Amino acid sequence: MAPATGRRLYRTINFVAGLAIFFFGYDQGMMGGVNTSPDYVEVMKLGYSTYEGPSQGYVATITHPTRQGGIVSIYYLGTLVGCLMGGVLGDRLGRIKSMFIGGLWVLLGATLQCSAQNISWMLCARIINGIGTGILNAIVPVWSAEVATHTSRGAFIAMEFTLNIFGVVVAYWLEFGLGFVGDGRSQVRWRFPIAFQIIPVLAFMACLRLMPESPRWLVKAGRLDEAKQVLGMLRSEDGNLEDKKVVSEYTDIVEVVDLEHAHASRNTYWAMFWGIGSGDLHVARRVQLSIWLQIFQEWVGIAAITVYAPTIFAEAGYDARKSQWLSGLNDVTYMLATLMAVVTIDRWGRRVGLWWGAVGQGISLILAGAFARLLKDNPAKASQYGGAAAFFVFLYTAIFGATWLTIPWVYPTETFPLEVRAKGNAWGVVGWSIGNGWLTLLNPVMFSSIGENTLHIFGAVNFLTIPIVYAFYPETANRTLEEMDLLFASDSPFVWEEEKHFKKLKEAQVAKHEQERSMHESHAVSKA
């Protein structure tokens, strides 16, 4: 149990969870540099390398892009399996033990990856690493949401995603620097970056032993005294168990857990997906919202920009090294933009963030595609049109970092009943895995067939998400996790009906509590 209390404990948990999220970002960003390493390309038989002079060193040429894409995308098969495992483990064993198990899978996968001698070895290692990442993705955000207050829950997780993109930045610049080692053909150029991910994971696992378990999971497991003790440490600076905030939140959690136990038949993934036995909790609706929000996160264009940005920079007339610098600078901008999410995600709410993000991203993608077309048609004006295209790439990345990066990860951690919260978040990771794996394979085909028009398609998807969010995604900001069951109690899936029904149920709940309090006070007076 951590010795800290109050805000100090909050910051400690935020940092520890951030180590896992940092690893997650680093692990995703790492393969970009690995894929361009000449030695890796030759060992995996993806192509060949040629010497381009002392300034460039050896440069890899890919002759088997499908094989290369398969190595990258099979990771998401692992995350798909891992998140489903994590959902079961998280609800049965608790958040802390499940995260430790996820860390063990990652360590095994990373060790096998950095020592891989052929493509079969690498594919197996990528799946194992993906399983560990999937477990962590399913549990870490849930743990963060369950220890945070309802007014800071979004910012709490958004801050961790700043570290997520910091992981991408570290991976990029580490691999950029290793490209200058020798003539660029060294094994260190790809084996060391893969091995480096072991460091934050080991630190995360070491810190977990000192971290408190989720008080909500403890109540669910029947460990009520421990739950109240943890709540006291989290909500009070001196660990006072009788603090009003502690007593109120503890009472709400216990009431909701008692209510949810009556619906235990819905606890399997199958039952959740089809809504079997969930009654007015409408778990199936929450599953669909979580899956599709994560799929939309990929289809609003981030995967396309990641793939196409270096091409835009290169076509703008920048040499290979300068294009690499611009890509790295874009990642830094991305990371800094996530800080805006920390400030706005709870203040403005999830819906507003998704709306303005979609508008800004859609405009940026359409204009980036337009200028990329003009760049191809007017090579004499490469500096003007290329500079404009690069600007909109930077703008898109910044807006995504401030909005759509974080919100689809926060939403599934908030919306599910405690009984199935880890499994519920796992459904969100299923959507993320599908979206990522799908586009990892589809993006190269799209860019090969229709070029910069791919950006126009993703730009249009952004505008399509606006009415979908308006109609089906209710606001979760500044509501307690226990209020979510009231929010989704309406038989109608439309937001305006859900809000109307929520207001009615909330008023009834408040009236009931007031009546119970009055009766308790009257009883105390009569005894006196």
Side-chain angles (χ1 to χ4, degrees), residues 113-334:
Q113 274 190 92
C114 69
S115 59
Q117 301 297 320
N118 53 59
I119 190 170
S120 299
W121 187 330
M122 191 67 175
L123 288 169
C124 291
R126 292 282 291 164
I127 291 176
I128 292 170
N129 208 31
I131 289 172
T133 306
I135 294 172
L136 294 179
N137 283 351
I139 306 301
V140 174
V142 168
W143 179 53
S144 298
E146 289 183 338
V147 298
T149 63
H150 67 282
T151 55
S152 64
R153 190 170 56 237
F156 196 83
I157 299 176
M159 181 63 77
E160 292 167 7
F161 273 87
T162 300
L163 291 172
N164 174 263
I165 306 306
F166 180 56
V168 175
V169 171
V170 169
Y172 185 88
W173 288 107
L174 175 63
E175 290 172 330
F176 180 80
L178 289 171
F180 291 94
V181 175
D183 55 10
R185 207 177 184 184
S186 168
Q187 290 190 39
V188 174
R189 184 171 174 179
W190 68 275
R191 294 192 189 274
F192 179 77
I194 294 176
F196 183 81
Q197 65 185 296
I198 292 173
I199 297 173
V201 175
L202 281 176
F204 170 69
M205 293 171 69
C207 292
L208 274 181
R209 296 175 63 84
L210 304 173
M211 292 297 101
E213 180 58 89
S214 158
R216 287 170 167 83
W217 183 83
L218 288 171
V219 170
K220 176 192 164 189
R223 294 156 62 177
L224 303 184
D225 291 340
E226 289 180 64
K228 196 165 187 180
Q229 184 181 5
V230 172
L231 270 177
M233 295 169 64
L234 288 167
R235 303 293 182 256
S236 171
E237 294 297 328
D238 57 1
N240 180 14
L241 302 187
E242 302 307 317
D243 185 284
K244 285 185 178 179
K245 290 183 291 186
V246 175
V247 174
S248 175
E249 188 170 352
Y250 174 77
T251 303
D252 286 345
I253 294 170
V254 171
E255 286 181 0
V256 168
V257 169
D258 289 342
L259 174 67
E260 291 176 357
H261 275 319
H263 298 276
S265 62
R266 73 173 196 287
N267 284 2
T268 65
Y269 283 118
W270 179 260
M272 289 175 69
F273 188 83
W274 297 107
I276 298 169
S278 67
D280 58 6
L281 292 174
H282 298 114
V283 172
R285 184 190 307 167
R286 310 189 208 194
V287 168
Q288 293 299 324
L289 292 177
S290 298
I291 290 174
W292 283 102
L293 191 59
Q294 287 281 22
I295 291 176
F296 286 143
Q297 185 196 44
E298 298 308 311
W299 273 91
V300 295
I302 188 60
I305 283 292
T306 303
V307 169
Y308 202 54
T311 302
I312 290 177
F313 298 149
E315 289 178 350
Y318 303 115
D319 61 32
R321 289 294 186 200
K322 190 169 285 187
S323 294
Q324 288 177 318
W325 271 97
L326 283 170
S327 295
L329 187 59
N330 190 35
D331 285 339
V332 174
T333 304
Y334 191 10

Side-chain angles (χ1 to χ4, degrees), residues 475-490:
E475 184 59 72
T476 57
N478 299 308
R479 283 171 164 153
T480 68
L481 295 177
E482 286 64 48
E483 287 177 331
M484 296 304 160
D485 288 346
L486 304 182
L487 183 60
F488 286 96
S490 170

Side-chain angles (χ1 to χ4, degrees), residues 50-64:
T50 52
Y51 187 68
E52 301 290 338
S55 64
Q56 302 291 328
Y58 277 88
V59 177
T61 300
I62 305 298
T63 57
H64 294 88

